[in-house]
Amino acid sequence: MINNSATFRVRYGETDQMGIVNNAVYPTWFEVGRTELFRELNFSYAEIEKNGTMLPLAELQVKYHSPAYYEDILTCITTVKQMPTSKIIFEYEILNENGKIIATGVTIHAFIDAKTRRVIKIPDYIKIKLAPLFESN
């Protein structure tokens, strides 16, 4: 299992007139979590794409538990529980400063060849780097 957390403050532009976060913002926060998880693993989307692989979003699920408000400090915990194959599944928990769950979600991304746009297996250089993180599971 791999997990990482990213902490950020809710910006004014992410809220409605009542100061409540717009539902459409949560997938952006999931992306922040994914990006930071990749950084922690010494990967980046740019590096993956430079090597001829893309990771488009295939599925998105969001469950809203409680509202978040302007200037709240939130943490997005991003987890990958299974070794990726031709897809990678990210799970998310967004928590407020008190540890209350604000939202949970899942995104599924397919590994595709950048030229052919066809689904491929996880590239070896990524698999080799991730394998030790799943060996104890």
Side-chain angles (χ1 to χ4, degrees):
M1 181 168 71
I2 306 168
N3 72 2
N4 190 48
S5 64
T7 301
F8 47 89
R9 185 180 301 270
V10 175
R11 297 171 295 196
Y12 184 76
E14 296 170 324
T15 64
D16 61 19
Q17 191 172 9
M18 297 177 291
I20 298 172
V21 172
N22 183 302
N23 292 346
V25 173
Y26 290 84
T28 300
W29 291 344
F30 293 169
E31 183 180 359
V32 169
R34 266 192 322 278
T35 301
E36 292 305 316
L37 182 136
F38 277 156
R39 279 197 179 108
E40 183 72 23
L41 298 171
N42 295 315
F43 282 117
S44 71
Y45 276 111
E47 175 188 356
I48 293 169
E49 290 176 359
K50 182 181 171 186
N51 284 302
T53 302
M54 300 179 90
L55 277 170
L57 180 66
E59 189 173 328
L60 167 67
Q61 300 170 16
V62 184
K63 182 173 182 180
Y64 304 99
H65 298 267
S66 183
Y69 300 92
Y70 175 56
E71 290 202 349
D72 280 357
I73 297 176
L74 304 177
T75 300
C76 180
I77 300 170
T78 306
T79 305
V80 177
K81 292 182 179 175
Q82 299 173 338
M83 180 66 182
T85 53
S86 59
K87 64 184 177 185
I88 184 167
I89 302 169
F90 297 93
E91 297 182 23
Y92 310 91
E93 281 188 323
I94 296 181
L95 311 170
N96 69 12
E97 288 179 278
N98 299 320
K100 183 176 182 180
I101 295 176
I102 301 299
T104 54
V106 175
T107 60
I108 300 174
H109 301 259
F111 290 98
I112 66 168
D113 181 282
K115 290 179 184 173
T116 66
R117 305 282 192 205
R118 293 183 185 239
V119 175
I120 59 172
K121 290 183 180 179
I122 182 174
D124 286 340
Y125 77 96
I126 297 175
K127 186 175 183 178
I128 290 167
K129 202 169 204 178
L130 296 184
L133 301 171
F134 291 96
E135 286 177 357
S136 62
N137 294 340

